[in-house]
Amino acid sequence: MKRSRDRAASELFAALYPRLVGWCRRLVDDDETAHEIASEAFTRLWARWTSVEEPRGFLYVTAANLVRDHWRKVQRERRAMRRATTEAAVRPHTEQSDPSVRLLVQSLPERLRVPILLHYYADMPIREVSVLTGRKEGTVKADLHAARELLRVHLRRSLDPTL
């Protein structure tokens, strides 16, 4: 029993770890952090191995939460650095004008951000996003549409502040 459990976990790790790391890498823009997040997601999966019905989904949702925590930490560090330096206080260019899609996705409300991360960054079909988030497929589609519209508006504003 334990041997088959270990083998199943090993096979899952071999199959999913590289892709999960790549997904995290695109979100955090750092190899080491991506590996840390993916490893932590697998560690949390292993701790709940017998009670998790959908390991792949568990891994991606856990990783998405860890990425969100990482983004928050980075934001706190950036704010602290801005406060600590007088140069940042007089600089007219703010981070809000950065058209980076990653920053825009990060700024979305969680209700919209999670489906975007799972569908577009983890390449999960809407049906799977629906199951993982506990929302109906129509709701997921509506959330994806709303998120795309918000991203479009934010991107336009960041490129042309006169809008």
Side-chain angles (χ1 to χ4, degrees), residues 75-121:
Q75 287 299 103
R76 285 191 304 271
E77 289 170 354
R78 285 180 182 158
R79 280 194 296 266
M81 287 300 293
R82 278 196 298 266
R83 275 187 242 122
T85 60
T86 56
E87 176 189 346
V90 295
R91 190 172 6 142
H93 213 353
T94 65
E95 190 175 20
Q96 290 176 341
S97 65
D98 185 352
S100 165
V101 173
R102 185 166 37 111
L103 289 174
L104 294 175
V105 169
Q106 179 183 349
S107 72
L108 290 172
E110 185 171 356
R111 175 183 66 82
L112 302 177
R113 183 177 57 243
V114 170
I116 286 284
L117 291 175
L118 294 175
H119 184 65
Y120 290 108
Y121 288 84

Side-chain angles (χ1 to χ4, degrees), residues 96-157:
Q96 290 176 341
S97 65
D98 185 352
S100 165
V101 173
R102 185 166 37 111
L103 289 174
L104 294 175
V105 169
Q106 179 183 349
S107 72
L108 290 172
E110 185 171 356
R111 175 183 66 82
L112 302 177
R113 183 177 57 243
V114 170
I116 286 284
L117 291 175
L118 294 175
H119 184 65
Y120 290 108
Y121 288 84
D123 295 325
M124 290 186 184
I126 289 175
R127 178 178 299 142
E128 193 169 347
V129 174
S130 170
V131 170
L132 293 174
T133 59
R135 299 180 194 148
K136 294 180 180 180
E137 286 184 39
T139 303
V140 171
K141 289 177 184 178
D143 287 346
L144 288 170
H145 175 75
R148 286 190 305 268
E149 288 302 311
L150 277 174
L151 292 172
R152 186 174 299 132
V153 167
H154 287 304
L155 189 57
R156 280 190 184 136
R157 266 194 215 128

